[in-house]
Structures are given as C-alpha cells and as structure tokens.
Amino acid sequence: LDRAFAQAEADDAKAVVIGLQADMWDLAQINGDGLGGYTAFVQELAKHALRFGRPVLLLNGDSHLFAADRPLADPTSATGVIHKTPAVANLTRITLQGSVNKPSEWLRLTIDPRSHDVFSWENIVYLP
C-alpha cells in the first residue's frame, strides 16, 4: 500500500485501484471468522485513502456475491465498526460475482480519469 499510494502521488494519479481476494467486511463472518485479522490492513488503507483524497476502488472476491458499497463511509455502520477507522468517503468496494453463482456475470469496469467519480461499472449476464 505504501508504494502504490506513493506512486499514485508521484504520478498525480486521478485514482487508485487495489485488487485482492479477501472480503474484509463479510458480514456473514462477523462472529468469529477472523475479520479482525484484517484490521491493521484496513486501517492502513483508510489512512492512505484519506491522505490521497481522490477515488480509491477496492476489488475483492472471497464472499463472491456482487455488491458495491463504501464500507468505511459511515464509521457507525455495520461495516464501519468492524475495523474502527474514521470515515473514508472516497473508498468504494466492489465484491465480484463468483463463478458458481446464477446468473453468471462478469464485471464491466470503466475507468475515465476525466470524470469526477473516475469509476463506473455494471454486471453483465453471460449465462442466465
């Protein structure tokens, strides 16, 4: 994270994308499946995103149920309290659809550094 955000700052990037497997806010696992093990990483991500101040997109799999949210935007929300971070409004998370889910979908992600939000997306059904 340190190097990625340092490079983004040096390049005056319009946004940052981070991809990883873990769903660090899987509410189905909130009672004991190790979400606390991600706290140090999430706190660093929050710190970097706040300092960066521009859009940050986190792509994850793991729970494999498509969702898009801002897990740290409200520190008092169900996802906000897990890792005890300040509000981070510029962090968006997309959890990608799993291969065994129906309908089968892929994510179309558009990155346009000229747009205010930089990122837009939609799930595209390829097998009903």
Side-chain angles (χ1 to χ4, degrees):
L1 286 176
D2 292 341
R3 289 189 318 191
F5 279 95
Q7 189 66 55
E9 288 288 347
D11 292 345
D12 195 28
K14 302 294 183 196
V16 169
V17 177
I18 308 256
L20 47 84
Q21 173 62 20
D23 181 349
M24 299 174 289
W25 295 274
D26 184 354
L27 296 179
Q29 305 301 324
I30 199 143
N31 291 320
D33 195 29
L35 289 181
Y38 301 124
T39 297
F41 180 85
V42 173
Q43 289 176 347
E44 282 297 304
L45 178 60
K47 178 183 79 173
H48 283 293
L50 284 170
R51 188 176 324 135
F52 184 64
R54 288 163 263 168
V56 176
L57 178 63
L58 177 68
L59 300 170
N60 75 259
D62 208 14
S63 56
H64 296 296
L65 296 175
F66 173 78
D69 64 2
R70 296 184 187 272
L72 300 178
D74 178 0
T76 64
S77 70
T79 56
V81 299
I82 295 171
H83 302 294
K84 300 172 185 68
T85 66
V88 185
N90 60 316
L91 174 70
T92 300
R93 168 184 65 147
I94 299 176
T95 302
L96 301 172
Q97 176 87 356
S99 62
V100 297
N101 297 9
K102 300 294 182 208
S104 296
E105 300 173 323
W106 60 277
L107 182 75
R108 176 183 289 151
L109 175 63
T110 302
I111 301 172
D112 182 356
R114 297 166 298 178
S115 75
H116 177 264
D117 293 327
V118 181
F119 306 110
S120 61
W121 58 88
E122 63 180 313
N123 258 0
I124 307 295
V125 173
Y126 66 91
L127 290 175

